[in-house]
């Protein structure tokens, strides 16, 4: 189905057009710029959601001519844009607004050159001095870039006059202390509402739909609590390994790479109280309350190990293809103890969730790619049909699964009578699928988030205090792991669902992992 013709979408777009802006990307020669940022900007242009005029200024070390940079961006857009094939005439006008400034991020002269160029562009193209700076560099460069932007007079901290906003890529710090230090440095130059900490999972349609599903429908709220929910499973499984990012991953591990940010964000959306409004501060206040209610982890590594299981992939087969072990990946130490799998159990100490366990799993080199939230409801109080269900009423209660990706959708499993002369009972799904209902693929997460930033809407970005609260919890695990290095790595084969200890973690509670 053509998205433009889908009647369900009629009248949905059009009002959200931001003011003319120049979008400056630090780290313009990097992978993210090519794979995500410029293709997203092009797709937004194609959807007529960007203002006119709109400028993109790439900043990177290499000294290359502007035309070369434009050519590279065209190539990347041809390859990665959602809206393809790229239309020549549209690209032509879009690319007239693409510029390039070279220089190192430490050098104050880079910012003087940038400032001069931005002023010229404003004059030539009649843009009003509104600027978004996107930090897509190694995280170690964030403090210096923010500082230099401030020193060069490139940040307008006032609420009047042209706006300045800064988008900061993840990871925002690597533990609580570094996140606090970075927040401090950022706040010396920027107001909090000018700071857009990006977590691309919040830009995914299905992640946003968690809020719509919960709060636009009256039927779930009465059930959404410890009285009716037995437990919740959150899974982010990736079939890929570290894909050439071994060097980065050795510093991070999957707990920092996926759980502290992406998984905690959708944990928050799944469990938070209804916000008073769908507006940045109200939504983020509620998320923060969840993070602050996480049951504290025990103090000793032995006790932590009962709640958190780590793993690392060895060789194996994923989709019939042989995969090397993590320790064989480029940039990875031969005796690395960095985790590529984590399974953990947590509890939220508040009125709604007291006593409900949340089981989280994040992993690389799994049998398939799947991200889902599965709400397992309690079984019916009295089993009228127990004998006829072949044990399923006990083993597989009602499960509501929210599929974040792929095959985006929501499915509710309930029991049904099997046609025939007996009262045999089997589970059946009730399904909603994005693809079927709305047609076409959803926009890329970066499109939505960039657009929101241009509009000054921080609802789908992470606030400084949220980041700190999530690090505070994650730090306990990192410290306990640092104190007791893993001795059994690799402990799962690529293409399997992780180490046996992860099964024991949940089975000890009389439950089992879903195999999505
Ligand atoms: C990134 C992580 O934030 O998210 C990667 O650094 C991971 O390790 C990626 O592969 C997953 O994103 P997506 O959108 O493909 O699920």
């Amino acid at each position: 189905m053509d998205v433009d013709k889908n009647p369900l979408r009629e009248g949905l777009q059009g009002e959200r057009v931001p003011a003319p802006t120049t979008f400056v990307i630090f780290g313009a020669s990097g992978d993210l710029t090519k794979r995500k940022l410029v293709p997203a900007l092009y797709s937004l242009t194609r959807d007529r959601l960007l203002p006119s005029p709109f400028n993109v200024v790439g900043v990177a070390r290499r000294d290359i001519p502007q035309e070369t940079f434009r050519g590279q961006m065209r190539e990347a857009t041809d390859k990665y844009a959602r809206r393809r094939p790229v239309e020549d005439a549209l690209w032509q006008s879009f690319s007239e607004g693409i510029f390039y400034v070279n220089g190192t991020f430490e050098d104050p002269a880079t910012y003087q050159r940038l400032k001069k160029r931005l002023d010229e562009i404003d004059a030539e193209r009649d843009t009003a001095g509104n600027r978004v700076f996107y930090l897509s560099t190694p995280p170690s460069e964030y403090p210096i870039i923010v500082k230099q932007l401030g020193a060069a007079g490139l940040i307008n901290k006032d609420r009047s006059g042209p706006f300045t906003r800064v988008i900061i890529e993840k990871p925002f710090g690597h533990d609580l202390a570094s996140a606090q230090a970075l927040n401090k440095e950022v706040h010396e130059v920027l107001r909090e509402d000018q700071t857009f900490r990006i977590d691309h999972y919040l830009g995914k349609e299905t992640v946003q739909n968690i809020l719509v599903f919960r709060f636009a429908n009256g039927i779930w709220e009465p059930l959404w609590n410890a009285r009716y929910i037995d437990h919740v499973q959150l899974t982010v499984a990736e079939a890929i390994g570290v894909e050439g990012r071994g060097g980065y991953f050795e510093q991070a591990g999957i707990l920092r790479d996926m759980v502290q940010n992406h998984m905690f964000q959708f944990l928050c959306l799944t469990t938070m109280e209804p916000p008073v409004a769908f507006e940045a501060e109200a939504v983020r206040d509620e998320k923060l309350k969840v993070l602050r209610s996480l049951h504290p982890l025990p103090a000793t590594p032995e006790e932590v190990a009962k709640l958190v299981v780590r793993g690392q992939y060895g060789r194996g087969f994923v989709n019939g293809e042989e995969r090397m072990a993590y320790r064989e990946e480029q940039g990875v130490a031969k005796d690395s103890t960095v985790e590529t799998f984590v399974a953990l159990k947590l509890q939220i100490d508040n009125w709604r969730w007291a006593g409900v366990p949340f089981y989280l799993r994040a992993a690389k080199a799994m049998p398939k790619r799947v991200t889902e939230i599965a709400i397992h409801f309690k079984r019916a109080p009295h089993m009228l049909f127990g004998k006829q269900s072949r044990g399923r009423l006990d083993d597989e209660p009602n499960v509501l699964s929210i599929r974040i990706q792929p095959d985006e959708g929501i499915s509710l499993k309930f029991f049904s009578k099997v046609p025939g002369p007996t009262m045999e009972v089997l589970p059946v799904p009730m399904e909603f699928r994005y693809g079927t209902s709305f047609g076409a693929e959803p926009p890329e997460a970066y499109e939505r988030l960039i657009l929101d930033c241009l509009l000054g809407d921080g609802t789908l970005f992470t606030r400084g205090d949220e980041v700190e609260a999530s690090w505070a919890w994650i730090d306990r695990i990192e410290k306990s792991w640092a104190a007791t290095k893993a001795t059994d790595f690799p402990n799962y084969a690529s293409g399997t669902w992780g180490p046996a200890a992860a099964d024991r973690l949940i089975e000890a509670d009389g439950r089992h992992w879903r195999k999505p």
Side-chain angles (χ1 to χ4, degrees):
M1 193 191 306
D2 180 344
V3 64
D4 294 333
K5 304 228 172 70
N6 184 340
L8 286 177
R9 294 178 59 96
E10 262 171 33
L12 287 183
Q13 298 184 350
E15 279 174 37
R16 289 167 42 99
V17 176
T21 306
T22 300
F23 193 87
V24 183
I25 306 174
F26 285 91
S29 55
D31 225 32
L32 189 76
T33 305
K34 291 187 189 131
R35 280 176 186 267
K36 299 288 181 188
L37 304 183
V38 172
L41 290 170
Y42 170 78
S43 298
L44 286 170
T45 307
R46 166 71 180 72
D47 285 349
R48 297 183 291 282
L49 291 169
L50 284 191
S52 175
F54 183 81
N55 312 311
V56 181
V57 179
V59 185
R61 274 167 231 270
R62 259 170 268 166
D63 188 6
I64 53 166
Q66 187 162 282
E67 278 316 311
T68 310
F69 182 65
R70 286 181 178 170
Q72 289 170 352
M73 295 304 111
R74 168 73 199 242
E75 225 174 89
T77 307
D78 280 334
K79 203 158 158 196
Y80 298 115
R82 179 177 57 87
R83 293 302 230 148
R84 277 182 295 167
V86 171
E87 290 171 19
D88 285 330
L90 188 63
W91 177 265
Q92 181 57 32
S93 71
F94 174 69
S95 72
E96 279 166 15
I98 298 184
F99 305 91
Y100 184 77
V101 172
N102 83 296
T104 62
F105 305 133
E106 295 75 25
D107 184 4
T110 305
Y111 300 82
Q112 291 310 325
R113 271 204 305 284
L114 176 63
K115 189 166 192 254
K116 188 163 164 276
R117 196 74 190 94
L118 289 175
D119 289 341
E120 285 163 8
I121 293 168
D122 277 342
E124 279 164 27
R125 291 180 49 88
D126 208 12
T127 37
N130 295 321
R131 280 148 202 181
V132 170
F133 296 101
Y134 197 115
L135 311 195
S136 169
T137 63
S140 55
E141 310 270 13
Y142 298 163
I144 189 73
I145 298 175
V146 172
K147 198 167 170 194
Q148 296 280 16
L149 284 172
L154 279 161
I155 305 281
N156 174 19
K157 215 175 170 180
D158 292 341
R159 288 183 194 278
S160 57
F163 66 72
T164 317
R165 297 177 189 138
V166 177
I167 306 184
I168 305 180
E169 254 302 324
K170 78 171 256 275
F172 195 90
H174 58 270
D175 58 12
L176 176 59
S178 56
Q180 283 171 329
L182 185 52
N183 269 333
K184 192 160 168 285
E185 278 153 338
V186 163
H187 289 145
E188 271 163 26
V189 179
L190 296 161
R191 299 189 318 265
E192 174 61 28
D193 66 358
Q194 294 179 287
T195 311
F196 290 72
R197 295 173 196 76
I198 202 162
D199 183 314
H200 79 280
Y201 266 61
L202 290 178
K204 290 183 192 274
E205 288 281 317
T206 36
V207 173
Q208 295 165 49
N209 198 34
I210 299 169
L211 292 180
V212 176
F213 182 75
R214 288 190 58 198
F215 301 130
N217 299 296
I219 54 173
W220 304 115
E221 179 54 23
L223 306 177
W224 213 261
N225 55 51
R227 229 167 132 191
Y228 297 102
I229 293 176
D230 176 73
H231 74 282
V232 179
Q233 294 188 21
L234 281 77
T235 303
V236 180
E238 290 181 283
I240 54 170
V242 290
E243 307 299 290
R245 293 163 74 224
Y248 154 76
F249 213 78
E250 282 284 273
Q251 304 303 316
I254 199 122
L255 186 67
R256 287 191 174 105
D257 185 50
M258 299 294 292
V259 181
Q260 179 270 335
N261 36 67
H262 307 325
M263 285 196 91
F264 271 17
Q265 284 299 319
F266 61 79
L267 171 73
C268 286
L269 299 182
T270 308
T271 58
M272 71 191 212
E273 295 303 309
V276 289
F278 188 62
E279 155 285 281
E281 296 320 314
V283 169
R284 300 191 294 186
D285 286 347
E286 296 306 334
K287 286 195 290 166
L288 179 65
K289 282 201 255 170
V290 173
L291 294 167
R292 290 195 173 151
S293 313
L294 294 180
H295 187 72
L297 283 159
T300 65
E302 296 71 33
E303 291 296 311
V304 168
K306 289 185 190 154
L307 298 173
V308 188
V309 170
R310 56 187 151 164
Q312 187 193 78
Y313 62 84
R315 290 184 184 182
F317 289 85
V318 179
N319 296 326
E321 273 184 37
E322 193 162 10
R323 161 172 292 292
M324 66 175 108
Y326 174 70
R327 288 178 176 180
E328 295 169 314
E329 302 268 4
Q330 203 190 346
V332 173
K334 296 286 162 258
D335 57 353
S336 171
T337 54
V338 169
E339 84 290 352
T340 59
F341 175 101
V342 64
L344 63 86
K345 174 182 169 182
L346 61 78
Q347 307 241 9
I348 300 172
D349 290 339
N350 65 15
W351 196 274
R352 185 186 288 270
W353 296 114
V356 178
F358 288 79
Y359 300 95
L360 276 61
R361 256 184 319 182
K364 302 261 182 202
M366 293 280 103
K368 63 200 276 205
R369 173 174 183 248
V370 53
T371 301
E372 67 155 38
I373 300 162
I375 316 281
H376 291 241
F377 288 93
K378 290 185 174 166
R379 42 171 268 184
H382 175 63
M383 286 298 159
L384 280 181
F385 307 108
K387 284 200 209 94
Q388 294 92 337
S389 78
R390 303 183 201 163
R392 285 191 166 101
L393 287 174
D394 289 323
D395 294 352
E396 305 174 33
N398 300 119
V399 179
L400 177 76
S401 55
I402 302 178
R403 181 69 86 101
I404 308 290
Q405 63 189 19
D407 307 327
E408 291 82 357
I410 297 176
S411 154
L412 178 66
K413 190 175 76 178
F414 63 97
F415 291 93
S416 174
K417 181 186 174 306
V418 178
T422 57
M423 284 302 270
E424 187 154 350
V425 174
L426 277 181
V428 291
M430 193 149 71
E431 300 260 11
F432 152 69
R433 303 195 115 194
Y434 267 83
T436 320
S437 295
F438 292 112
E441 36 172 337
E444 268 280 318
Y446 278 93
E447 293 175 31
R448 170 64 193 258
L449 295 175
I450 289 172
L451 184 61
D452 278 7
C453 174
L454 293 171
L455 290 157
D457 182 352
T459 312
L460 299 176
F461 292 82
T462 322
R463 209 167 55 190
D465 47 9
E466 278 181 76
V467 178
E468 290 183 15
S470 60
W471 276 124
W473 202 83
I474 295 291
D475 265 11
R476 275 273 180 92
I477 303 176
E478 292 290 355
K479 280 192 187 126
S480 130
W481 284 354
T484 49
K485 291 271 179 218
T487 51
D488 61 343
F489 282 3
N491 60 356
Y492 71 98
S494 291
T496 66
W497 286 100
D503 294 332
R504 290 196 293 273
L505 171 85
I506 191 166
E507 283 163 13
D509 296 342
R511 303 184 175 101
H512 51 264
W513 292 111
R514 279 164 61 77
K515 299 261 185 292

